Amino acid sequence: DGRTEKSLKVEKKIKSVLETLPSYVSEYYYECLVSNEPRTKLAYLMQIRGLLTSINEDFSKITYDDIENNVGRYYDSKKSKVNPETAG
């Protein structure tokens, strides 16, 4: 049916995105995200990729401390873009 076809298409996109990200993202994905709907999983992966790219486009140079120190700022900046009235 159409829903299954869309899910398969999204799963294919997820695999494609995972191939571009560090292995720890794949580990997180397979441990934490597998129970979500395919479109939700893809949205989470795109957010993770956005965070990592905002830190350094060369993912191999990103440390855990980099992620920990930037995750709050990254999500605050995303909220500000979505709702300019909350920007401060």
Side-chain angles (χ1 to χ4, degrees), residues 70-83:
N70 288 285
V71 71
R73 280 183 285 233
Y74 175 76
Y75 284 107
D76 282 347
S77 74
K78 298 304 276 180
K79 282 192 253 180
S80 296
K81 289 179 184 177
V82 172
N83 186 357

Side-chain angles (χ1 to χ4, degrees), residues 1 10 18 21 26 31 33 35 37-38 43 46 59-60 70 75 78-79 82 84:
D1 69 42
V10 172
L18 282 172
L21 296 171
S26 294
E31 289 178 19
L33 297 180
S35 63
E37 291 295 317
M46 298 307 282
F59 298 146
S60 67
N70 288 285
Y75 284 107
K78 298 304 276 180
K79 282 192 253 180
V82 172

Side-chain angles (χ1 to χ4, degrees), residues 32 55-56 60 63 65 73 88:
C32 300
I55 296 170
N56 192 325
S60 67
T63 66
D65 287 338
R73 280 183 285 233

Side-chain angles (χ1 to χ4, degrees), residues 21-25 28 47-56 58-75:
L21 296 171
S23 61
Y24 56 82
V25 176
Y28 170 78
Q47 289 177 1
I48 291 168
R49 183 168 72 179
L51 167 64
L52 297 178
T53 301
S54 76
I55 296 170
N56 192 325
D58 182 352
F59 298 146
S60 67
K61 294 182 179 180
I62 298 173
T63 66
Y64 178 80
D65 287 338
D66 292 330
I67 295 169
E68 189 172 48
N69 293 332
N70 288 285
V71 71
R73 280 183 285 233
Y74 175 76
Y75 284 107

Side-chain angles (χ1 to χ4, degrees), residues 7-45:
S7 290
L8 291 173
K9 195 173 195 178
V10 172
E11 291 288 348
K12 185 176 180 181
K13 176 71 175 174
I14 288 169
K15 287 182 183 180
S16 172
V17 171
L18 282 172
E19 289 174 1
T20 68
L21 296 171
S23 61
Y24 56 82
V25 176
S26 294
E27 292 169 17
Y28 170 78
Y29 171 81
Y30 288 112
E31 289 178 19
C32 300
L33 297 180
V34 293
S35 63
N36 292 315
E37 291 295 317
R39 291 173 64 183
T40 302
K41 293 186 286 190
L42 179 59
Y44 288 153
L45 285 176

